[in-house]
Amino acid sequence: MLKAVILIGGPQKGTRFRPLSFEVPKPLFPVAGVPMLQHHIEACSKIPNMKEVLLIGFYQPNEELNRFISSVQQDLKVSVRYLQEYAALGTGGGIYHFRDQILSGSPEAFFVMNADVCSEFPLQDMLNFQKEHGDAHSFIILGTTANRTQSLNYGCIVENDQTSEVLHYVEKPGTFVSDVINCGIYLFTPDIFEHIGAVFQKNQKELMYSYDRTCRVCRDEQSNGWLRAEVIRLEQDIFTTLAGQGKLYVHKTDHFWSQIKSAGSAIYASRLYLNQYHKTHPERLATRRDGGAEIRGNVYIHPTANIDPTAVLGPNVSIGTGVTIGAGVRVRESIVLHGATLQDHSCVLNSIVGWDSTVGKWSRVEGTPSDPNPNDPYAKIDSETLFRDGKLTPSITILGCDVTIPSEVIILNSIVLPHKDLNRSFKNQIIL
Amino acid sequence: MKALILVGGYGTRLRPLTLSVPKPLVEFCNKPILLHQVEALVKAGVRHVILAVSYMSELLEREMRAQEQRLGIKISLSHEKEPLGTAGPLALARELLTDSEEPFFVLNSDVICDFPFEDMLKFHKNHGKEGTIVVTKVEEPSKYGVVVYEAETGRIHRFVEKPQVFVSNKINAGMYIFCPSMLRRIQLRPTSIEKEIFPVMAEEGHLYAMELQGFWMDIGQPKDFLTGMCMYLQSLRQHAPERLRTGPGFLGNVLVDPTAVIGENCTIGPNVTIGAGVVLEDGVRIKRCTVLRGAHVRSHAWLESSIVGWRCSVGQWVRMENVTVLGEDVIVNDELYINGANVLPHKSISDSVPEPRIIM
């Protein structure tokens, strides 16, 4: 019997996803038409013997999450539960804290995945790989190849070419270590908790030694003491120690994979998933129906959207629920979130139009794509910084929720915070 | 009567349009610039027009032959082989200008206004002196040369070039009327009429100023070309409103050639000129633009303050603004953003131009 754990983080994480993360927890942001997490859960539900999917994070219970969980359980017929951490415990601390839940029912193994990755999720491949490598208790990291410069932004894995054992692991090194990077998708056996437990004990001991009961500063810090012992990161604390000990292996994939850290990467991830739909969910791809709008490339349109037949959509477009698209509208490489309205003749390129926003007639909402270099098969999407040399770097244009763009203006490479009513054109700005 | 029009050289300020067509023949509000002036001169009784050119163009010669026929007048070309300044061309055309006692007009070819040629003649004959200059009131006189004159008589006292302190808000409008006798003052060498000839004439009490009523513009560069277009269309609204296009989808002053084809759901205007054979597809929005002959604007495009050259193709959903000028036969691909681009003829644009620049 198998389980899956998805680490969904919490509100302090994912600030690069603002202003979109103001409205909805990032793991629920729609990518290729469905919540980010749903892609993970769909992949899990295809594995035979998958008993349940546990979501671990530190979001407060909220309606969105509850609604998502109940609907995904119904649709995919797999059990899904949310386990809320009392504080951010790190990628290792969270699963350690809930180890009893994870191990209840005695699963032979369980997957652990980060919510903010976009992947083909070759879970069955990882299971097969595990049977062929190491012993019954080995742990598998899913890895992929990155280009040399970009590898410095990820967890780097040095592997034994013959055995695929992980010899060395470094998280975000300063100098080049390896072009094989950590995808944030793991297959563990119950033994993992021994190793995490060992780190936890070590942390506690260190705290004891550095804690002086008579010192007031220490007393103040003590209130955070347990917390600090419990914060454990899989990458820095566990993998670095396990490397070279015959327990950790890497399974390399060259199927699509990307992080989803920023809004720009959500559009890129949408493209990857929309492309995958040809194989997995062809019914989610729109086609031009009689008298319908022109569709170019891969486009997702929710059935409740209202699209004028003279509109032209795609490639790489997702249209959410209840969206209205007027005559002669052009949308390309963009996500239009639910309830938004694009009025006649407007043009939306490389942008995210927020929930219930309106784009006026003939207006142009345009961003700059941050796609990885298409000529480099191992290039990954750049971890964008908002500013470079003091200037805002050109990026995807984001309209937050309930933003109104008047007619005939241009909004270029800008980020508009929710509930703004604009009255003129803007370029290369953050509009508060 | 005769008139001398100072056409000059390559018209470099109106490039890229003047790379394809000599400046006098560039259509302003659907009529070659030169023709606006020539037709007004003919109406005032001029029968012989002399074009002072420093760059000889076959195209110009051929066009002028055609106009001679059409208007029943004589058009000569006076070609300066070396630069003669602003007065020298008059000396070059001396023979043609002095074969009669009648006064003759001199015009700067970039000027557009409600040409007051009949009034000028009356005013000139009235004061009986050697020269009359038309002046016009402007908001920023320090950019030009200003004229200081007596309000009642019009007698000019002096000229001040680009004054730092306010002296007067009347500037030289580039239109004159002279007695043939004033030609004795000019020698055949590079001479500036403003710096060398006028001050002497003013000193001697032989130069008078007539104030122009109505609009005035020097349309020698794209920004001013568009401003002048707005003024001219406004004047049309007052004097010949039937020439403007009205109806659903047309806002403000819009001039449309009868052979142009306009699609559904377009909104055109205010201040737009559409040339012969132009095609505007569905859902196009154009404001404050000139679209020259044969151009094709595809559906849902949005154009403001731009000049679209002859036979250009502007793609679907293009946004063009900020005094973009497309030379002849430029293709702009679909869905691009063109901001203040100056595009040379026969170019294909496949990338957006988010900041103003020249595209060669």
Side-chain angles (χ1 to χ4, degrees):
Chain A
M1 181 264 274
L2 299 165
K3 292 197 188 182
V5 175
I6 308 180
L7 306 173
I8 69 172
Q12 292 99 300
K13 295 277 163 200
T15 58
R16 271 179 289 175
F17 216 69
R18 293 175 172 169
L20 300 168
S21 49
F22 287 147
E23 305 307 319
V24 83
K26 182 171 134 185
L28 297 182
F29 184 81
V31 175
V34 307
M36 205 182 289
L37 271 185
Q38 189 164 326
H39 297 280
H40 299 59
I41 302 179
E42 281 178 358
C44 292
S45 69
K46 295 212 185 84
I47 302 296
N49 278 331
M50 179 65 66
K51 172 115 186 309
E52 69 176 348
V53 176
L54 299 168
L55 309 179
I56 296 183
F58 53 98
Y59 286 100
Q60 295 291 10
N62 65 71
E63 239 195 81
E64 297 256 8
L65 193 52
N66 295 339
R67 234 178 317 145
F68 168 73
I69 293 174
S70 59
S71 80
V72 87
Q73 288 198 101
Q74 259 192 329
D75 295 338
L76 299 177
K77 312 272 184 290
V78 65
S79 161
V80 178
R81 277 191 303 139
Y82 175 50
L83 303 174
Q84 184 189 353
E85 297 165 85
Y86 60 91
L89 299 177
T91 46
I95 59 174
Y96 185 66
H97 182 77
F98 289 113
R99 58 194 179 284
D100 292 334
Q101 302 260 13
I102 296 174
L103 294 179
S104 86
S106 308
E108 301 143 21
F110 58 99
F111 291 98
V112 173
M113 305 181 240
N114 285 343
D116 59 359
V117 297
C118 146
S119 169
E120 213 223 357
F121 298 111
L123 305 180
Q124 188 59 55
D125 286 351
M126 288 171 81
L127 285 167
N128 299 341
F129 182 87
Q130 199 226 16
K131 297 206 163 43
E132 299 158 9
H133 290 80
D135 59 29
H137 307 288
S138 27
F139 315 129
I140 313 293
I141 303 181
L142 184 68
T144 189
T145 317
N147 78 25
R148 285 180 68 109
T149 341
Q150 290 178 329
S151 70
L152 303 183
N153 299 322
Y154 298 91
C156 297
I157 300 170
V158 178
E159 74 167 328
N160 175 317
D161 279 327
Q162 271 99 37
T163 64
S164 296
E165 189 200 334
V166 174
L167 299 174
H168 188 63
Y169 181 94
V170 183
E171 184 68 19
K172 296 191 180 51
T175 53
F176 179 76
V177 166
S178 166
D179 59 5
V180 177
I181 60 169
N182 175 3
C183 290
I185 298 170
Y186 320 117
L187 176 56
F188 293 144
T189 53
D191 283 11
I192 191 78
F193 293 122
E194 263 176 51
H195 299 283
I196 304 181
V199 172
F200 175 65
Q201 302 297 343
K202 188 163 74 93
N203 286 354
Q204 256 194 290
K205 269 211 199 77
E206 273 177 20
L207 252 127
M208 299 295 252
Y209 291 143
S210 55
Y211 173 63
D212 175 352
R213 223 178 287 258
T214 63
C215 157
R216 174 174 313 153
V217 172
C218 287
R219 268 207 300 278
D220 287 340
E221 283 182 349
Q222 201 240 342
S223 49
N224 293 329
W226 283 118
L227 206 52
R228 282 191 306 179
E230 283 225 9
V231 174
I232 301 168
R233 301 152 304 174
L234 277 174
E235 301 79 11
Q236 291 91 328
D237 301 324
I238 310 293
F239 294 159
T240 46
T241 329
L242 282 178
Q245 304 203 4
K247 295 204 168 23
L248 193 55
Y249 291 80
V250 60
H251 171 57
K252 287 207 315 253
T253 179
D254 47 25
H255 291 137
F256 73 87
W257 179 87
S258 174
Q259 274 190 324
I260 312 180
K261 293 288 188 204
S262 64
S265 47
I267 295 189
Y268 178 60
S270 274
R271 173 155 2 119
L272 297 174
Y273 279 139
L274 282 173
N275 200 30
Q276 193 193 31
Y277 283 168
H278 286 287
K279 251 193 345 214
T280 56
H281 284 281
E283 76 286 355
R284 284 186 188 159
L285 291 174
T287 50
R288 179 169 216 173
R289 288 155 296 166
D290 288 322
E294 183 182 332
I295 307 292
R296 297 185 188 170
N298 299 328
V299 174
Y300 168 84
I301 304 178
H302 194 274
T304 58
N306 201 332
I307 322 264
D308 187 282
T310 57
V312 179
L313 308 180
N316 187 16
V317 167
S318 305
I319 307 288
T321 61
V323 163
T324 305
I325 297 194
V329 167
R330 179 83 184 91
V331 183
R332 195 184 79 200
E333 298 285 337
S334 296
I335 299 177
V336 182
L337 296 170
H338 94 214
T341 300
L342 307 182
Q343 292 181 351
D344 297 352
H345 316 296
S346 53
C347 188
V348 175
L349 311 175
N350 300 303
S351 300
I352 299 183
V353 178
W355 307 263
D356 302 313
S357 286
T358 303
V359 175
K361 294 195 194 187
W362 279 292
S363 277
R364 183 178 179 103
V365 175
E366 180 179 9
T368 301
S370 45
D371 290 357
N373 178 358
N375 294 321
D376 178 353
Y378 300 132
K380 301 284 172 272
I381 198 158
D382 259 327
S383 209
E384 303 138 41
T385 48
L386 265 190
F387 290 90
R388 198 176 301 154
D389 304 322
K391 290 175 72 171
L392 199 57
T393 37
S395 60
I396 299 293
T397 283
I398 307 172
L399 307 185
C401 110
D402 184 40
V403 164
T404 303
I405 308 293
S407 302
E408 302 189 34
V409 300
I410 177 167
I411 309 298
L412 177 66
N413 299 334
S414 293
I415 301 175
V416 186
L417 262 61
H419 310 293
K420 280 300 285 191
D421 242 340
L422 301 187
N423 57 8
R424 60 175 178 89
S425 294
F426 285 90
K427 297 182 196 173
N428 306 303
Q429 286 186 22
I430 301 176
I431 298 135
L432 238 35
Chain B
M1 279 194 63
K2 298 175 195 286
L4 176 72
I5 304 185
L6 300 168
V7 171
Y10 295 93
T12 58
R13 286 180 308 152
L14 207 49
R15 285 177 171 167
L17 300 174
T18 47
L19 291 174
S20 304
V21 158
K23 189 166 58 145
L25 298 182
V26 173
E27 293 102 313
F28 174 80
C29 295
N30 290 347
K31 186 191 305 194
I33 296 174
L34 192 60
L35 223 50
H36 284 272
Q37 298 182 333
V38 169
E39 285 178 2
L41 286 167
V42 170
K43 214 161 133 244
V46 169
R47 290 291 166 266
H48 186 183
V49 174
I50 302 145
L51 304 182
V53 300
S54 58
Y55 159 61
M56 193 57 124
S57 156
E58 247 189 58
L59 195 52
L60 186 58
E61 283 189 276
R62 233 181 314 138
E63 188 56 32
M64 290 306 107
R65 298 287 149 263
Q67 293 305 326
E68 272 188 327
Q69 298 276 344
R70 194 185 128 242
L71 298 167
I73 61 168
K74 183 152 163 26
I75 305 184
S76 315
L77 278 118
S78 169
H79 180 203
E80 72 189 53
K81 304 277 196 329
E82 40 167 38
L84 293 174
T86 40
L90 278 76
L92 187 62
R94 195 195 305 277
E95 307 271 315
L96 298 167
L97 294 169
T98 49
D99 69 5
S100 123
E101 293 289 314
E102 281 190 300
F104 60 92
F105 292 98
V106 176
L107 309 189
N108 182 328
S109 68
D110 289 345
V111 166
I112 202 82
C113 62
D114 253 328
F115 296 107
F117 299 131
E118 291 101 337
D119 288 344
M120 277 169 83
L121 195 53
K122 253 193 252 156
F123 181 87
H124 184 79
K125 289 199 161 127
N126 198 20
H127 67 66
K129 303 293 184 189
E130 274 190 354
T132 302
I133 301 183
V134 175
V135 297
T136 182
K137 187 161 132 184
V138 292
E139 280 184 2
E140 292 180 57
S142 60
K143 298 203 304 215
Y144 307 89
V146 305
V147 183
V148 182
Y149 62 99
E150 237 170 65
E152 283 112 52
T153 60
R155 189 179 141 173
I156 294 180
H157 292 305
R158 66 186 201 283
F159 295 86
V160 185
E161 201 47 34
K162 295 188 178 49
Q164 301 288 343
V165 190
F166 183 90
V167 168
S168 157
N169 57 10
K170 308 289 192 302
I171 61 155
N172 178 352
M175 293 178 286
Y176 323 119
I177 184 168
F178 297 125
C179 290
S181 58
M182 77 69 90
L183 287 170
R184 73 182 189 284
R185 302 173 182 271
I186 312 177
Q187 291 171 1
L188 188 57
R189 59 175 177 79
T191 314
S192 161
I193 207 170
E194 300 90 352
K195 297 199 170 80
E196 296 173 64
I197 311 298
F198 286 167
V200 179
M201 287 174 74
E203 187 90 358
E204 298 175 12
H206 268 290
L207 207 51
Y208 278 69
M210 185 187 99
E211 190 176 339
L212 178 67
Q213 304 303 319
F215 75 97
W216 178 89
M217 200 72 215
D218 172 339
I219 56 174
Q221 49 188 0
K223 187 163 75 78
D224 297 335
F225 185 99
L226 290 173
T227 306
M229 174 193 67
C230 296
M231 293 176 169
Y232 179 86
L233 291 178
Q234 178 60 19
S235 166
L236 264 194
R237 164 78 56 192
Q238 275 152 10
H239 301 125
E242 68 285 356
R243 289 188 51 201
L244 296 175
R245 180 77 176 260
T246 51
F250 293 95
L251 302 176
N253 303 329
V254 178
L255 184 62
V256 182
D257 185 280
T259 58
V261 175
I262 302 185
E264 314 257 302
N265 299 319
C266 291
T267 303
I268 311 295
N271 296 318
V272 173
T273 301
I274 306 293
V278 163
V279 175
L280 305 183
E281 291 188 0
D282 297 347
V284 164
R285 175 88 182 90
I286 306 188
K287 300 195 264 194
R288 204 171 181 276
C289 292
T290 288
V291 182
L292 295 173
R293 187 171 9 100
H296 192 131
V297 179
R298 303 201 181 274
S299 48
H300 315 297
W302 186 93
L303 277 50
E304 182 181 45
S305 290
S306 296
I307 303 178
V308 179
W310 310 270
R311 303 186 298 114
C312 283
S313 173
V314 176
Q316 294 182 298
W317 289 288
V318 163
R319 180 182 174 102
M320 192 179 289
E321 59 182 352
N322 198 16
V323 195
T324 287
V325 184
L326 304 184
E328 181 189 11
D329 181 40
V330 164
I331 300 179
V332 179
N333 286 359
D334 296 342
E335 302 168 28
L336 300 183
Y337 173 48
I338 313 291
N339 176 19
N342 215 318
V343 187
L344 267 58
H346 312 294
K347 282 295 293 183
S348 225
I349 310 291
S350 52
D351 290 308
S352 286
V353 183
E355 289 304 315
R357 65 184 183 93
I358 299 172
I359 305 199
M360 284 220 270

